[in-house]
Amino acid sequence: MSNKNVFLEKYFLMTRSEENYLKTIFHLGGGDSKSITTNAIAEQMETKPSSVTDMAKKLSEKGLVDYVRYQGVSLTDAGVKTALSIIRKHRLWEVFLVKKLDFTWDEVHEVAEQLEHIKSEKLIDKIDELLEFPKHDPHGDPIPTKDGKFQERDEKLLSEMPINSQGVCVGVKDSSVPFLKFLDKNKIALGNTIKVLDKEDFDNSLRIQMDGKEMRISHQIAANLYVKKND
Amino acid sequence: MSNKNVFLEKYFLMTRSEENYLKTIFHLGGGDSKSITTNAIAEQMETKPSSVTDMAKKLSEKGLVDYVRYQGVSLTDAGVKTALSIIRKHRLWEVFLVKKLDFTWDEVHEVAEQLEHIKSEKLIDKIDELLEFPKHDPHGDPIPTKDGKFQERDEKLLSEMPINSQGVCVGVKDSSVPFLKFLDKNKIALGNTIKVLDKEDFDNSLRIQMDGKEMRISHQIAANLYVKKND
DNA sequence: AATTAAATTTAGACAAAGCTAAAAATAGAT
DNA sequence: ATCTATTTTTAGCTTTGTCTAAATTTAATT
């Protein structure tokens, strides 16, 4: 019961629950040294704030988050690294499910949610290799590198943007007359800021916000608009 | 909190621990209506008999084992079915790891031990399909069918036999003169009963028992001898 | 600056899965 | 048939992760 291997104890032996908390904190922005409230975490994870407090203490003990009572939590460098490794696994498994097993867009999340907790570095590296080192998951979100780097591509198709992200319109893929006319008619112009509010699984159409007003656009349109992500 | 869906509650929502117990009981022979002692289970699982007793009660509650105090446990039909579905998953994942990700013989078990608990029927069916419905895992053990049938092949290569299994020598694959001379010299003849005592991971050689005496044979030999399993 | 509303933490409880130590039942040997 | 020795179970405690309800701190408003 002695303190044999602090490194192993603190960083490798993560429980499923701990990993889920780190992932959530990262997604809520707590990797940018921003403090995330216990309430926000509780809401996201569909649990109670008091449970979050308990876990915050535990993760703080392990050096994975900075936690100040009543002030919320933010990930430490070690916490960010761990969160990224889980997100990497999640997204690689999503690619695997879609590319190798013909899962659809909307089926992958639940299963990847389980697979991301499998503990084997070799396994995920081999999956990465099998998939030929994909850069993005099926939703267009970037896959962190093995050494925990986030290679955020700053130009992408609007259809690949995650929900709640926003960017400036920087180009078109289809430059046909009908398409450009459509953009003009709908006051979509280069330089406009567009925020993705929601995606409809049924037809992949998007609800977006532009210049303060909301609108819905089809997947075909979104898949031909390049935007530069800025948040 | 009402008793909404008994089927779901009893059969689908299995914990990892419950699944591991069922698998162990099956492997110890408790599927053949034979009673397995709590001590045997505890030893196999590297836990304590008292913990096994607790779980026996729980699994009995759920209708997965028959448990009589001081008499041990045996799997019910539902228990056998569940155990086989876990074993099926374990073995399919092993094949996947070896065939698709270049894992070696000895690396697969630990990872498959985790993967077997992933809950997604579609996932394992798709893996099965990807692998073109293999009949045996990398160790030569049979993969149960989706509807829980064990298709024990009664003829297999000696090199594919699991440790502690035994069979009667029924044929050769390589019928070249040098090979047959070797068999003759070592008194290995059709009709002999051979028991696999141990496998050496390093060179895949086997320690076997034949006619009461022990000997070691290379993988190349074992991979060219057909035996008919009989226990 | 004081008071109230909202957010957060503490305290105490629970279920799952395990352990230890003591009690009870079975089985083996005489 | 009785008595040990072994096996098995019970009772009570531990840890992890969760919850509820009560207490406390922060923030917002007057």
Side-chain angles (χ1 to χ4, degrees), chain A residues 135-146:
Chain A
K135 296 278 174 287
H136 300 87
D137 76 9
H139 309 89
D141 295 314
I143 298 172
T145 62
K146 195 165 147 60

Side-chain angles (χ1 to χ4, degrees), chain A residues 62-150:
Chain A
K62 292 194 171 192
L64 294 164
V65 305
D66 290 320
Y67 167 60
V68 184
R69 278 163 81 250
Y70 295 100
Q71 303 300 310
V73 298
S74 61
L75 297 175
T76 61
D77 287 352
V80 169
K81 213 179 139 205
T82 307
L84 284 176
S85 93
I86 301 158
I87 290 165
R88 169 180 159 76
K89 285 191 272 181
H90 182 99
R91 294 184 179 166
L92 281 171
W93 278 116
E94 286 196 341
V95 176
F96 172 78
L97 294 173
V98 168
K99 290 279 167 66
K100 300 292 176 183
L101 302 186
D102 299 316
F103 273 61
T104 59
W105 215 81
D106 53 300
E107 292 174 318
V108 295
H109 187 75
E110 186 193 358
V111 182
E113 214 49 27
Q114 297 180 61
L115 288 164
E116 72 189 6
H117 299 294
I118 301 289
K119 270 138 189 94
S120 168
E121 203 173 334
K122 175 162 184 171
L123 174 61
I124 203 62
D125 289 346
K126 285 287 189 177
I127 289 284
D128 195 18
E129 189 184 327
L130 180 72
L131 300 169
E132 300 176 75
F133 312 104
K135 296 278 174 287
H136 300 87
D137 76 9
H139 309 89
D141 295 314
I143 298 172
T145 62
K146 195 165 147 60
D147 53 314
K149 291 214 176 19
F150 227 124

Side-chain angles (χ1 to χ4, degrees), chain B residues 15 17 21 47-48 50-51 54 58 70-71:
Chain B
T15 66
S17 187
Y21 272 96
T47 182
K48 304 293 170 188
S50 55
S51 306
D54 289 345
K58 197 176 166 196
Y70 296 101
Q71 304 298 310

Side-chain angles (χ1 to χ4, degrees), chain A residues 177-215:
Chain A
V177 173
F179 184 53
L180 294 175
K181 275 197 173 174
F182 170 87
L183 295 179
D184 198 53
K185 190 160 43 164
N186 286 277
K187 307 252 186 295
I188 300 172
L190 303 190
N192 280 12
T193 293
I194 297 178
K195 180 170 186 181
V196 179
L197 298 175
D198 201 12
K199 290 184 183 182
E200 177 55 53
D201 280 356
F202 176 66
D203 62 356
N204 285 342
S205 70
L206 267 58
R207 221 179 77 237
I208 63 170
Q209 185 179 54
M210 191 176 65
D211 293 335
K213 59 183 201 298
E214 274 182 45
M215 60 187 291

Side-chain angles (χ1 to χ4, degrees), chain B residues 79-107:
Chain B
V80 170
K81 212 179 140 204
T82 308
L84 284 176
S85 94
I86 302 158
I87 290 166
R88 169 179 158 79
K89 285 191 273 182
H90 181 100
R91 293 183 178 166
L92 281 171
W93 279 116
E94 286 195 342
V95 175
F96 172 77
L97 293 172
V98 168
K99 291 277 168 65
K100 299 293 176 182
L101 303 186
D102 299 315
F103 273 59
T104 59
W105 213 82
D106 52 301
E107 292 173 319

Side-chain angles (χ1 to χ4, degrees), chain B residues 48-62:
Chain B
K48 304 293 170 188
S50 55
S51 306
V52 178
T53 300
D54 289 345
M55 185 56 83
K57 287 177 186 165
K58 197 176 166 196
L59 292 174
S60 174
E61 276 292 309
K62 293 194 172 195

